[in-house]
Amino acid sequence: MQATPQDSTAGHYQGNVDAGEVAKFEALASRWWDPQGEFKPLHEINPLRLDFIDARAGLAGKKVLDVGCGGGILSESMANRGAKVTGIDLGEAPLAVARLHAEERGVEIDYQHISVEAMAAQKPGFYDAVTCMEMLEHVPDPASVIRACSALVRPGGFVFFSTLNRTAKSYAFAILGAEYVLRLLPRGTHNYAKFIRPSEMAAWSRDSGLEVREQTGLTYNPLTRHYRLVSHDVSVNYMMYCRKVSD
Ligand code: SAH
């Protein structure tokens, strides 16, 4: 029998989740906040994506849902900009780390173990903004996540996605470079077949009632070892900014 979304609270959710993918993040969870550890790339891109989101959504005072929040790097930084943040993930260990870290820092965030689809059934149109970063390439049905994100945001609300493009360059950088040569990420972190082209992400977004406003690349320079936003180069990691169509 197919599990219902409500089963997520029992930790047995069998819907749109790849248990093996979540297990990878559970195993690494204790190192989430080590800026030199396996999640170093997330720490490095965080100021860039935070500023991108804040400049468009104006985070202060906004109700924001962070989907696939992991250990809370983005959630916490958005809360520090004055947003009222809810973070959801299907990994228990990353959520435990996120809760502990927020408590230590005195940051108030509502972290919940629930699927985005179940959340969409509970709180349609509730959020001013929804963020879903570096998560879509780990789920069996990314279009379902995009539909749920769209359902969760109010008309005119802001939705931000990021993922890895499916190009020869992303294979070279994100898998060969990051996992094998530079060892920035553990081997097996990413699966090339799950990478998503901007055209696919845009089509799923439009089909979900979102208007695609902007896309920008997050490019890594292996020589300087720094990331920056490059609007015209979405060939590896990129973000997409959408607004919910108001009818
Ligand atoms: N968004 C965070 C973490 C990215 S790591 C950031 O960018 O900083 C990817 C996260 O997606 C992990 O925490 C993993 O547990 C989560 N994840 C994977 N599949 C998921 C699913 N089906 N539903 C919710 N979260 C999922």
Side-chain angles (χ1 to χ4, degrees), residues 35 58 81-82 84-85 90 101 103 143 149 160 180 199-200 205 233 242:
R81 294 264 172 113
K84 286 171 243 155
V85 180
L90 287 177
H101 196 272
E103 200 180 306
C149 290
F160 300 88
Y180 289 83
S199 58
E200 295 164 336
S205 299
D233 181 9
C242 304

Side-chain angles (χ1 to χ4, degrees), residues 13 16-18 21-22 25-26 32 39 42 45-46 49 66-74 88-91 94 114-116 132-135 138-140 145 162:
Y13 178 66
N16 186 19
V17 64
D18 179 333
E21 289 289 308
V22 172
F25 293 100
E26 305 243 46
W32 211 288
F39 296 101
L42 295 182
I45 63 175
N46 201 56
R49 63 192 186 177
D66 188 20
V67 175
C69 61
I73 296 170
L74 179 66
I88 61 172
D89 202 286
L90 287 177
I114 183 170
S115 72
V116 65
C132 180
M133 304 266 135
E134 314 304 326
M135 179 269 202
H138 300 288
V139 301
V145 174
S162 75

Side-chain angles (χ1 to χ4, degrees), residues 16 65 67 115-121 123-125 130 142-153 161 208 244:
N16 186 19
L65 179 70
V67 175
S115 72
V116 65
E117 288 89 353
M119 199 71 179
K123 287 199 155 8
V130 175
S144 165
V145 174
I146 291 178
R147 275 195 300 278
C149 290
S150 174
L152 281 153
V153 80
F161 300 113
S208 307
K244 180 73 179 277

Side-chain angles (χ1 to χ4, degrees), residues 29 32-33 69-76 89 94-95 97-99 101 111:
W32 211 288
W33 284 89
C69 61
I73 296 170
L74 179 66
S75 301
E76 230 180 80
D89 202 286
L95 283 173
V97 168
R99 287 191 187 106
H101 196 272
Y111 284 116

